[in-house]
Amino acid sequence: MTTFAFDAQVTSAHFDSSGAVFALGDGSVRFEDGVFDAVHDGAILCATVHPSGDGLVSGGDDGRVIWSRKGEAGVLATAKGQWIDAIDASSVTKLIAFSSGKTLSVIDATDIVFRRDFQHERTVSGVAFDPKGRRVATSTYGGACLWFARIADQKPTKLTWAGSHTGVAFSPDGAFVVTTMQDMQLHGWRLKDSKNLRMGGYPSKIRSLAFLSKGALLASSGAHGAVLWPFVGANGPMGREASEIGFDDSTQVTLISARTAHGRLAAGLADGRVWVADPAGQGLNFVKAEKGSPIAALALSPDATRVAWADEDGNAGVAEVSID
Amino acid sequence: MTDTKIPVTVLTGYLGAGKTTLLNRILTEDHGKRYAVIVNEFGEIGIDNDLVVGADEDVFEMNNGCVCCTVRGDLIRVVAGLMKRQKPGQPAFDAIIVETTGLADPGPVAQTFFVDDDVKAKTTLDSVTALVDAHHVMARLDDSREAREQVAFADRIILNKVDLATPEELFAVEARLRALNPLAPILRAERANVPLDQVLGLHGFDLERILDLHPQFVARPAHGEAGHVHDEHCGHDHSAHDHDHDHADHGHDHAHTPNGSDGSDGVSTPADGPRGHSHADDIKGISLSLDRPMNGVKFTQWLDQLLGQQGQNILRAKGIIDVQGEDRRLVFQAVHMILEGDLQREWGPTERRWSRAVFIGRDLDEAALKAGFEACAA
């Protein structure tokens, strides 16, 4: 296990082709081998791995989108006077989508002049590419919007549901869009008929969700354990109940991380612990067993063999996962 | 660990009341503090050491079907973003100041700090401060519901531009402000020249500080002021006073018996009603008190029911309750339907044990409120 003590809040943790990467509130990007880059003038608000797999693309409260690789960093886009609130990238189409205020912008990692800006009626809170990288979903007040990433003039497909939606994800088969909500629930739409899925019962706000086991399960934070919704078949979780693993009534799961191709799930807890589990297996494997301040960033590596985390006090670590 | 929550001051006030002047003073005075300022439009502000952030007044209803439970989505996002600047062991800023536009309703701003988990965990609402323009406020209160709500909602009112108004005008203005809001002390100012320690760090939303609640005393207009109530208890020579009854366009509605002082409960202080000249405003503050202990269960049920049924119209409520069989004071505050309450410190041995509460709202039925409150007596 490698540990770090950063002098700043960690916004998010990631794995690029070289290993773990952390994006920080002091505007810096820190690679696992200690390479340090102060790239933003202000806090990094969101980050994702570059479509090439090399380095991190981050959005800051300085209104810039910056690609950081070890030892070099370059500005990919700006949104003058606004914060870059959400970001996602597609390794398939090499496109990057980010939001600033009510605008969704799409840029191309392979074409510096390409940029599309799409306007919303309300502020965009989350962005996500579909698995093919051709469409972008945004979450906003009153629902979600679907945009074709490359088409300049278009009207979005609106998926409506009352309330404030704070984040968004596509299911790995592209059949469902799921949002996190301000009201402590998930909401979903089956795209072929816009049928609504309501997934509630959470005791607190849901900050992260991820699909695993080839899309058969959707995991989320926001409860005393990691909540797993079955997504098998055309109906998804409709009419079915969620299960919960790692239930512990003394704390809550603040973040989860999972990989579509794998059956492993990582969870970060409000008491500072981190565990990895296989829903088909037995028990929890604590990769960080000592308690501390709440886990603020968490990532499972693409091959699901390593975990990176950080807590609210700037303590961070990277560990190998061993499950018997 | 960062246990200390960052205090947030909300600065409200109608267009032209002087918010930007005050904000500029806060940012430029030599106080060595680091502030984050959330504004709607970038003006002539922005100083080293401070961070000025744009906000879009993005109000939304929670999905719980309760129409008055609105919060500001932009504040949730901005506060979450500001917290990322926090360093381990120290707060990101000494304070956050939210400047609302002249037309904004402060309700959703305040509720954001009680409703959202993330915001609640990192910040604490210090106060809502309303600036009003002494020269123009009467007309604004007449024609603007927002102006009335801003005053009604405030923990402190800064009566600005007093140099532009006559003493008579100031008396009339202060009386009307008190009628709208008996809780908020009124501070007179020229060009927003109030001491900053009377704007920041007020603990206006702090349950502990509700212990200071003395609505009758804070709000009672002095003899000779327009808001002063003369009634059968007053016992002095009225002819000596020149009542300011010249603003006939407001429709005077003289107050009736002062609250909690009908003699039966032992509170016989004359003229402790805060409402002298009600200008038939739809919003008013109602003070209630009772000198007998209350049944805690009855009171809680009454308050829950009241806020459930009339929460849309109740902007602010605060109170300290003497619960029978309980040595500690029950204190509560509410913003619309969002209620917060707790048992605080014990009553002092020489302290007067009594219950008092203030409700500020729209179209409130004072007689019914008083009856409901007193029916909670043990």
Side-chain angles (χ1 to χ4, degrees):
Chain A
M1 187 197 296
T2 318
T3 59
F4 307 90
F6 299 129
D7 187 31
Q9 285 267 328
V10 177
T11 298
S12 55
H14 308 267
F15 281 92
D16 81 338
S17 53
S18 74
V21 195
F22 297 93
L24 273 64
D26 62 0
S28 69
V29 171
R30 320 266 185 137
F31 290 88
E32 186 180 347
D33 60 7
V35 173
F36 169 101
D37 258 324
V39 293
H40 284 275
D41 180 18
I44 294 179
L45 300 175
C46 55
T48 189
V49 174
H50 188 267
S52 67
D54 181 16
L56 214 58
V57 187
S58 54
D61 63 15
D62 58 356
R64 294 181 193 175
V65 175
I66 294 177
W67 179 19
S68 303
R69 283 168 287 173
K70 288 184 186 181
E72 59 180 314
V75 176
L76 298 182
T78 58
K80 198 170 162 34
Q82 289 201 289
W83 289 12
I84 311 292
D85 293 309
I87 195 161
D88 195 24
S90 169
S91 59
V92 183
T93 52
K94 312 297 180 198
L95 296 174
I96 297 164
F98 63 90
S99 74
S100 56
K102 296 172 184 170
T103 309
L104 162 71
S105 301
V106 180
I107 55 174
D108 188 336
T110 63
D111 175 3
I112 54 163
V113 297
F114 179 87
R115 176 162 172 166
R116 300 273 184 259
D117 289 320
F118 304 111
Q119 299 305 318
H120 294 71
E121 287 164 23
R122 303 288 290 259
T123 304
V124 176
S125 56
V127 300
F129 276 101
D130 76 349
K132 292 174 181 166
R134 292 208 289 258
R135 294 182 99 182
V136 184
T138 54
S139 55
T140 177
Y141 181 69
C145 290
L146 298 177
W147 301 88
F148 290 99
R150 287 194 163 273
I151 297 175
D153 293 316
Q154 58 177 313
K155 283 206 163 75
T157 302
K158 288 188 180 171
L159 302 168
T160 56
W161 188 256
S164 181
H165 301 258
T166 56
V168 65
F170 266 97
S171 65
D173 60 1
F176 296 90
V177 165
V178 179
T179 58
T180 54
M181 293 194 70
Q182 176 72 23
D183 301 275
M184 303 180 194
Q185 56 182 301
L186 298 178
H187 193 80
W189 294 268
R190 181 165 64 188
L191 295 185
K192 70 174 183 186
D193 55 5
S194 292
K195 200 169 170 62
N196 288 287
L197 319 175
R198 301 167 68 171
M199 293 168 270
Y202 291 83
S204 68
K205 240 167 120 170
I206 302 152
R207 289 186 184 79
S208 68
L209 51 83
F211 285 89
L212 63 152
S213 302
K214 299 186 173 62
L217 289 172
L218 168 65
S220 77
S221 65
H224 293 288
V227 176
L228 295 167
W229 296 92
F231 260 77
V232 182
N235 289 332
M238 277 183 257
R240 306 170 69 179
E241 281 189 12
S243 56
E244 199 167 349
I245 60 171
F247 181 89
D248 181 344
D249 63 7
S250 69
T251 188
Q252 289 203 351
V253 173
T254 58
L255 293 173
I256 57 98
S257 182
R259 294 289 176 171
T260 300
H262 298 274
R264 274 181 193 171
L265 170 72
L269 310 182
D271 67 8
R273 293 179 295 164
V274 178
W275 53 253
V276 175
D278 186 334
Q282 293 279 314
L284 307 176
N285 176 31
F286 280 89
V287 296
K288 179 178 180 287
E290 67 274 23
K291 293 185 178 180
S293 66
I295 295 299
L298 184 71
L300 190 64
S301 67
D303 62 1
T305 60
R306 306 179 75 212
V307 185
W309 72 85
D311 71 17
E312 287 188 0
D313 278 349
N315 302 305
V318 186
E320 306 291 326
V321 177
S322 56
I323 292 185
D324 304 327
Chain B
M1 288 292 287
T2 42
D3 297 329
T4 44
K5 296 183 178 187
I6 300 179
V8 180
T9 299
V10 178
L11 212 52
T12 177
Y14 218 74
L15 303 165
K19 292 192 300 293
T20 307
T21 310
L22 179 60
L23 205 49
N24 271 319
R25 277 201 45 237
I26 292 173
L27 293 180
T28 50
E29 258 180 35
D30 185 21
H31 43 56
K33 298 259 170 78
R34 187 171 144 82
Y35 296 128
V37 184
I38 302 172
V39 296
N40 288 279
E41 283 162 15
F42 296 99
E44 296 299 305
I45 45 178
I47 304 296
D48 292 350
N49 225 29
D50 297 305
L51 180 72
V52 182
V53 185
D56 50 9
E57 305 222 341
D58 185 15
V59 175
F60 64 74
E61 282 167 22
M62 299 295 283
N63 207 14
N64 57 10
C66 164
V67 289
C68 72
C69 292
T70 49
V71 296
R72 287 263 304 262
D74 56 339
L75 288 180
I76 296 172
R77 283 189 299 277
V78 169
V79 168
L82 290 177
M83 291 309 126
K84 294 192 168 137
R85 289 183 171 234
Q86 202 153 338
K87 290 185 182 302
Q90 60 193 84
F93 298 94
D94 292 297
I96 295 171
I97 299 162
V98 182
E99 183 197 7
T100 71
T101 59
L103 290 170
D105 174 4
V109 178
Q111 292 189 147
T112 305
F113 293 88
F114 293 97
V115 167
D116 184 74
D117 288 347
D118 299 330
V119 171
K120 217 163 59 175
K122 304 289 185 188
T123 60
T124 173
L125 184 58
D126 184 67
S127 81
V128 175
T129 292
L131 265 114
V132 299
D133 172 339
H135 194 55
H136 292 111
V137 64
M138 285 300 226
R140 290 291 78 74
L141 292 175
D142 285 341
D143 63 26
S144 161
R145 177 183 138 158
E146 289 85 2
R148 290 193 293 274
E149 299 215 342
Q150 288 167 354
V151 166
F153 214 88
D155 298 289
R156 171 147 312 210
I157 297 167
I158 298 172
L159 183 58
N160 197 25
K161 307 188 186 180
V162 292
D163 48 326
L164 303 180
T166 65
E168 291 75 26
E169 282 174 332
L170 290 180
F171 282 140
V173 166
E174 289 185 352
R176 187 159 178 201
L177 294 175
R178 278 192 201 97
L180 283 166
N181 186 338
L183 282 170
I186 299 169
L187 222 66
R188 292 185 180 188
E190 296 172 18
R191 288 172 292 283
N193 62 344
V194 285
L196 291 188
D197 62 4
Q198 301 206 21
V199 182
L200 304 171
L202 294 182
H203 302 279
F205 273 89
D206 189 337
L207 276 186
E208 295 275 353
R209 286 288 288 263
I210 295 176
L211 301 177
D212 297 339
L213 181 71
H214 283 280
Q216 279 82 356
F217 302 110
V218 168
R220 182 173 57 188
H223 277 261
E225 288 192 18
H228 179 69
V229 179
H230 293 272
D231 60 15
E232 66 275 19
H233 298 299
C234 201
H236 71 154
D237 183 8
H238 287 192
S239 63
H241 296 278
D242 175 22
H243 289 255
D244 182 20
H245 284 187
D246 57 352
H247 34 277
D249 54 329
H250 297 306
H252 290 205
D253 177 18
H254 278 263
H256 10 277
T257 315
N259 309 299
S261 60
D262 57 4
S264 65
D265 59 11
V267 186
S268 55
T269 329
D272 58 356
R275 294 146 295 99
H277 300 148
S278 160
H279 294 248
D281 280 327
D282 50 345
I283 293 172
K284 61 182 171 179
I286 292 171
S287 306
L288 304 169
S289 65
L290 189 64
D291 252 7
R292 281 168 291 163
M294 285 206 166
N295 178 314
V297 176
K298 263 196 215 169
F299 177 76
T300 315
Q301 284 172 351
W302 174 73
L303 190 60
D304 281 344
Q305 195 181 13
L306 179 72
L307 295 175
Q309 289 169 353
Q310 297 182 52
Q312 263 179 274
N313 286 336
I314 294 173
L315 305 175
R316 292 282 296 269
K318 285 187 184 189
I320 303 166
I321 304 300
D322 173 20
V323 177
Q324 189 178 47
E326 176 58 59
D327 289 333
R328 289 170 296 172
R329 306 154 157 229
L330 174 69
V331 300
F332 74 90
Q333 64 178 340
V335 177
H336 291 302
M337 287 181 197
I338 296 165
L339 175 68
E340 176 180 41
D342 203 2
L343 285 165
Q344 298 282 353
R345 70 160 172 82
E346 290 187 7
W347 295 91
T350 59
E351 192 174 8
R352 178 179 172 198
R353 284 179 74 140
W354 61 320
S355 300
R356 53 226 196 264
V358 172
F359 291 87
I360 299 172
R362 209 178 293 124
D363 304 324
L364 299 180
D365 180 343
E366 179 165 4
L369 270 178
K370 183 166 157 38
F373 186 75
E374 291 178 0
C376 299

